[in-house]
Amino acid sequence: MQFGKLTQERVGAKQLIIARSFNAPRDLVVKANTQPEYVRRWLLGPPGWEMPVCEMDLRVGGRYRWEWSHAESSMRMGLGGEYLEIDLPHRIRVTQQFDDAWDGKQSTVETEFLEQGAQTVMKLTITYESEEILERVMQSPMTSGMEMGYERLEALLNEMEGK
């Protein structure tokens, strides 16, 4: 894996693996993914978006709710789900459902935090309801928006480390 480059790989009919390496220790990457004050600073996608709602009840059976709004338009987007597994600092597994259900009724997302020397690879395995939904997702600009967020995450991790 090339450092700092988002990769995506289709696995079977219903799974997508997205991975990105960060030049930061795993504990900081986990912290930036599990504490709302950090999540709302990087999980934004393209410029102009903000995250006014970032609720996270980080426990098995707990729920999370994220909502975004665009500063210059009336566009809004939201999603939520339930924490199915929490094995920190190794992984988190959740259900995920967008309000507008563009990617199906519900998907499952497992996020793994893999140490590789001084770097951490964040690997998401997303399981969709059907092959048709996975095809729709792969045709969307989702990963380019994710990479914009990951670039913010890289900057935030540098700030957290005092670089």
Side-chain angles (χ1 to χ4, degrees), residues 19-98:
R20 169 72 148 72
S21 61
F22 297 93
N23 191 23
R26 179 169 61 181
D27 65 322
L28 284 185
V29 178
V30 169
K31 187 176 186 177
N33 275 273
T34 57
Q35 295 185 12
E37 65 268 25
Y38 296 118
V39 172
R40 68 179 348 131
R41 290 179 58 189
W42 70 266
L43 190 58
L44 300 173
W49 287 88
E50 58 184 29
M51 184 187 257
V53 175
C54 184
E55 300 167 354
M56 301 171 69
D57 182 8
L58 190 65
R59 61 183 175 84
V60 173
R63 303 206 50 90
Y64 68 97
R65 175 76 186 158
W66 299 334
E67 294 178 14
W68 296 268
S69 61
H70 193 270
E72 297 176 7
S73 72
S74 60
M75 290 178 63
R76 297 188 62 80
M77 184 172 75
L79 68 84
E82 179 181 347
Y83 291 98
L84 302 174
E85 177 185 1
I86 299 173
D87 179 18
L88 295 176
H90 306 288
R91 82 182 51 76
I92 297 173
R93 193 166 56 88
V94 301
T95 61
Q96 177 176 281
Q97 184 170 353
F98 280 89

Side-chain angles (χ1 to χ4, degrees), residues 47-157:
W49 287 88
E50 58 184 29
M51 184 187 257
V53 175
C54 184
E55 300 167 354
M56 301 171 69
D57 182 8
L58 190 65
R59 61 183 175 84
V60 173
R63 303 206 50 90
Y64 68 97
R65 175 76 186 158
W66 299 334
E67 294 178 14
W68 296 268
S69 61
H70 193 270
E72 297 176 7
S73 72
S74 60
M75 290 178 63
R76 297 188 62 80
M77 184 172 75
L79 68 84
E82 179 181 347
Y83 291 98
L84 302 174
E85 177 185 1
I86 299 173
D87 179 18
L88 295 176
H90 306 288
R91 82 182 51 76
I92 297 173
R93 193 166 56 88
V94 301
T95 61
Q96 177 176 281
Q97 184 170 353
F98 280 89
D99 292 353
D100 67 2
W102 75 276
D103 69 340
K105 292 179 185 168
Q106 183 172 277
S107 57
T108 303
V109 181
E110 178 180 46
T111 303
E112 296 176 87
F113 304 97
L114 309 168
E115 287 183 303
Q116 291 189 345
Q119 297 179 353
T120 301
V121 174
M122 194 163 74
K123 177 183 168 188
L124 282 72
T125 302
I126 308 169
T127 305
Y128 295 99
E129 295 176 306
S130 69
E131 186 171 4
E132 294 76 25
I133 293 169
L134 175 57
E135 289 293 333
R136 188 178 332 143
V137 168
M138 292 191 72
Q139 298 300 317
S140 79
M142 180 181 82
T143 55
S144 63
M146 289 177 74
E147 178 55 29
M148 291 178 201
Y150 287 165
E151 288 170 5
R152 282 190 202 90
L153 176 54
E154 186 76 53
L156 175 62
L157 292 166

